[in-house]
Amino acid sequence: MLVFGGTGDLALHKLLPALYYLHRAGRLHAETRIIALARSPHTRSAFQALAERNCRAHVAREDFDNETWARFAERLDYLAMDASQSADFGRLSKHLGDDPERVRIYYLATSPALFEDIASHLKIAGLAGPKARIVLEKPIGHSLESARAINASIGAVFDESRVFRIDHYLGKETVQNLMALRFANALFEPVWRAGHIEYVQISVCETLGVENRGSYYEQAGAMRDMVQNHLLQLLCLVAMEAPVRFDAEAVRNEKVKILEALKPISGLDVQDKTVRGQYTAGKIGGQEVPAYYFEKNVDNDSDTETFVAVQAEIDNWRWAGVPFYLRTGKRMARKTSEIVIQFKPVPHQLFGGSEANRLLIRLQPEERISLQLMGKSPGKGMHLQPVELDLNLANAFNKQRRWDAYERLLLDVIEGDSTLFMRRDEVEAAWAWVDPIISGWHQHYQSPRPYPAGTNGPEQVNNLLERYGRQWLD
Ligand code: BG6
């Protein structure tokens, strides 16, 4: 496995710890080698030390032991190279030696601006044989046009079955549980539709700011960083029809249909259906944090959004008229990722005070699925109150260690299973919906609304729902 961007945060904080866990669980082939590639002139042992420091920090203390580490470290190697320089791929080829039987996985943990160069340089150097696979980190491009160009140049070197476009949300256990909930239980299917569901809310709220990623984030913003991929993927899993088989083509065919059915939001619609925000100074967990425009590598008069809310709609038979409220932001009050399915109220209020049922699927911080039902409170009279039917997944499965999303997805790449990866047309359909929103913001000069760090986003976000007598379900 060759990791381009091998000394970046993603490689050090996520990929190497995930590979350590796979090694520890005996899931890596005895001869698997992991080669980090980056420009800094590290020696192999300096890189091993860097990797160790990071794995110690990102692997649970009870799971890290020196003996396992020593064996894992033997797999690690480092090569200093510049991925934009074709000549450096000749050196890479020599370094790898000539073994056409080896499966090579190229993991591009780099800026998407380098994807096209890397693919063509691999081809010229003879490193993209039929056994080679390529993994692309999101975002794939920054618009439909750039995504198409990347997909075309990757496609000229690797056929689609060997391209793994990663969206780590699909590797999260609860996200996969959402498919189990929907397609392994008959209970929900009859009510999983417009006639019974009032609205759906998908929120991914973070307390973190942009950390060291200011220069990337300035070009991306919350729409490209989160909505185009993670939130739309969650929406697809909630809304898609049951695939005929659980395999890569069948699952992805159903997801694409949903993306293609998203009602376009463009021009002036953006004023009604979207809210952009940007955090100002505030407090997170009692600590003062600076405004976004004072973060490292961020412009003082930055117009980048760190918060987005969108009212999406799906124009198909099952979902016509049901709003899907999407919301994501940095530096918010709490870290939570959850999906709420709000059912319609009972058609006739027999007792009064009855609230409509609600299904909560929480991905973070804890993995939980709970259904809010109405129950009678003890005593005389029919006084109702909401009670929760609660499935705490960690307890249900004997507190087994939950795999990190990257562990699951890296193993899928190794095994060649692309069910949980985004297909080319899926990525492009997502951009086709996102692009007009971004250009609508620019055409109508919708600059982001300020919100203090540590809050639930700009005030205007409540209007999206309140005008229909609804509210965000926190
Ligand atoms: C990444 C985004 O894809 O997802 C980050 O680039 C974001 O900005 C992260 O912080 C959130 O992932 P998770 O798994 O912590 O919810």
Side-chain angles (χ1 to χ4, degrees):
M1 180 172 296
L2 293 98
V3 183
F4 288 90
T7 52
D9 283 359
L10 178 70
L12 296 174
H13 300 175
K14 293 283 184 188
L15 305 181
L16 285 169
L19 289 163
Y20 169 84
Y21 271 114
L22 291 177
H23 162 86
R24 182 172 172 266
R27 306 300 286 257
L28 297 182
H29 187 281
E31 286 181 32
T32 299
R33 288 192 296 154
I34 300 154
I35 309 176
L37 308 166
R39 277 183 303 187
S40 341
H42 290 300
T43 58
R44 178 172 182 223
S45 59
F47 175 72
Q48 286 164 330
L50 176 70
E52 180 173 354
R53 273 201 304 285
N54 280 278
C55 284
R56 278 185 188 277
H58 292 278
V59 165
R61 184 174 292 195
E62 64 275 18
D63 296 335
F64 192 95
D65 69 85
N66 293 334
E67 204 177 306
T68 312
W69 175 261
R71 271 180 283 118
F72 177 67
E74 285 167 17
R75 298 180 184 274
L76 300 182
D77 195 1
Y78 182 82
L79 182 72
M81 64 174 280
D82 181 346
S84 66
Q85 299 302 313
S86 176
D88 282 12
F89 285 73
R91 282 201 299 117
L92 173 62
S93 175
K94 278 210 194 89
H95 190 85
L96 291 175
D98 205 8
D99 182 358
E101 285 312 303
R102 262 191 187 263
V103 174
R104 288 194 180 127
I105 297 172
Y106 301 104
Y107 197 118
L108 273 48
T110 63
S111 146
L114 281 171
F115 290 178
E116 302 178 61
D117 272 358
I118 295 177
S120 69
H121 294 158
L122 285 171
K123 184 174 180 187
I124 295 166
L127 290 170
K131 290 204 161 181
R133 300 174 195 162
I134 192 160
V135 186
L136 307 177
E137 258 298 328
K138 55 128 287 240
I140 311 289
H142 58 273
S143 61
L144 176 58
E145 197 187 342
S146 55
R148 276 191 179 141
I150 291 174
N151 283 334
S153 42
I154 298 287
V157 181
F158 295 89
D159 58 63
E160 184 64 22
S161 65
R162 296 187 290 128
V163 181
F164 293 79
R165 298 180 192 79
I166 211 160
D167 180 316
H168 77 279
Y169 266 60
L170 294 178
K172 290 186 190 269
E173 285 284 352
T174 326
V175 176
Q176 293 163 51
N177 245 307
L178 173 58
M179 285 191 271
L181 182 82
R182 288 198 56 203
F183 305 131
N185 296 289
L187 190 65
F188 290 110
E189 171 52 25
V191 292
W192 207 263
R193 59 191 65 247
H196 296 274
I197 293 179
E198 179 92 16
Y199 60 101
V200 175
Q201 181 184 307
I202 302 177
S203 307
V204 178
C205 306
E206 299 183 84
T207 49
L208 286 181
V210 288
E211 312 288 284
N212 292 321
R213 302 161 72 221
S215 22
Y216 152 73
Y217 202 84
E218 274 289 89
Q219 306 301 315
M223 191 66 159
R224 294 186 175 97
D225 185 47
M226 299 293 289
V227 178
Q228 190 271 344
N229 33 80
H230 305 325
L231 277 90
L232 286 184
Q233 286 293 324
L234 296 179
L235 176 144
C236 285
L237 296 179
V238 172
M240 72 196 234
E241 296 300 315
V244 285
R245 288 176 307 279
F246 189 60
D247 71 20
E249 289 323 305
V251 169
R252 299 186 302 178
N253 286 345
E254 296 306 332
K255 288 200 292 171
V256 170
K257 286 185 203 159
I258 293 296
L259 292 167
E260 288 178 343
L262 282 170
K263 191 182 209 151
I265 301 179
S266 59
L268 275 172
D269 282 352
V270 297
Q271 291 183 354
D272 257 7
K273 300 206 166 156
T274 72
V275 176
R276 298 175 86 196
Q278 188 188 85
Y279 62 82
T280 54
K283 276 193 175 173
I284 301 272
Q287 299 269 335
E288 302 276 351
V289 295
Y292 173 69
Y293 48 78
F294 282 143
E295 301 272 17
K296 205 164 84 193
N297 298 327
V298 169
D299 258 11
N300 285 350
D301 59 353
S302 169
D303 191 35
T304 302
E305 79 284 351
T306 60
F307 175 97
V308 186
V310 186
Q311 176 183 328
E313 279 159 75
I314 301 168
D315 274 340
N316 70 9
W317 192 277
R318 187 185 284 268
W319 295 111
V322 179
F324 281 69
Y325 296 106
L326 312 180
R327 170 177 67 160
T328 183
K330 297 229 175 255
R331 290 282 191 230
M332 294 185 64
R334 279 172 299 122
K335 177 171 173 74
T336 44
S337 302
E338 60 188 30
I339 300 168
V340 185
I341 315 287
Q342 176 67 56
F343 289 94
K344 294 203 161 153
V346 288
H348 173 60
Q349 288 275 355
L350 203 51
F351 311 111
S354 166
E355 290 175 24
N357 301 134
R358 184 180 293 164
L359 179 70
L360 166 81
I361 301 154
R362 177 167 288 165
L363 281 52
Q364 288 170 151
E366 77 280 15
E367 292 178 41
R368 205 179 122 199
I369 297 180
S370 81
L371 180 62
Q372 183 184 295
L373 303 168
M374 293 310 290
K376 176 189 166 304
S377 54
K380 191 173 164 334
M382 285 302 282
H383 298 298
L384 303 188
Q385 70 178 50
V387 281
E388 284 188 5
L389 204 60
D390 211 343
L391 174 61
N392 181 314
L393 294 165
N395 291 343
F397 295 103
N398 297 331
K399 300 200 187 310
Q400 274 173 37
R401 192 183 83 79
R402 318 293 281 162
W403 281 41
D404 179 74
Y406 278 100
E407 284 170 68
R408 161 73 202 254
L409 295 174
L410 283 168
L411 196 56
D412 282 355
V413 178
I414 292 169
E415 290 175 353
D417 177 354
S418 42
T419 310
L420 297 179
F421 294 80
M422 296 181 291
R423 204 168 58 191
R424 178 176 181 162
D425 51 350
E426 227 177 313
V427 173
E428 293 178 8
W431 278 120
W433 184 73
V434 159
D435 269 3
I437 301 180
I438 298 178
S439 35
W441 287 338
H442 295 308
Q443 276 160 21
H444 301 285
Y445 197 64
Q446 267 238 342
S447 53
R449 317 274 186 175
Y451 63 97
T455 63
N456 283 333
E459 276 163 37
Q460 291 77 3
V461 72
N462 296 324
N463 302 343
L464 265 187
L465 281 83
E466 277 169 5
R467 62 186 168 203
Y468 301 105
R470 299 174 180 144
Q471 57 183 3
W472 290 100
L473 307 164
D474 287 311

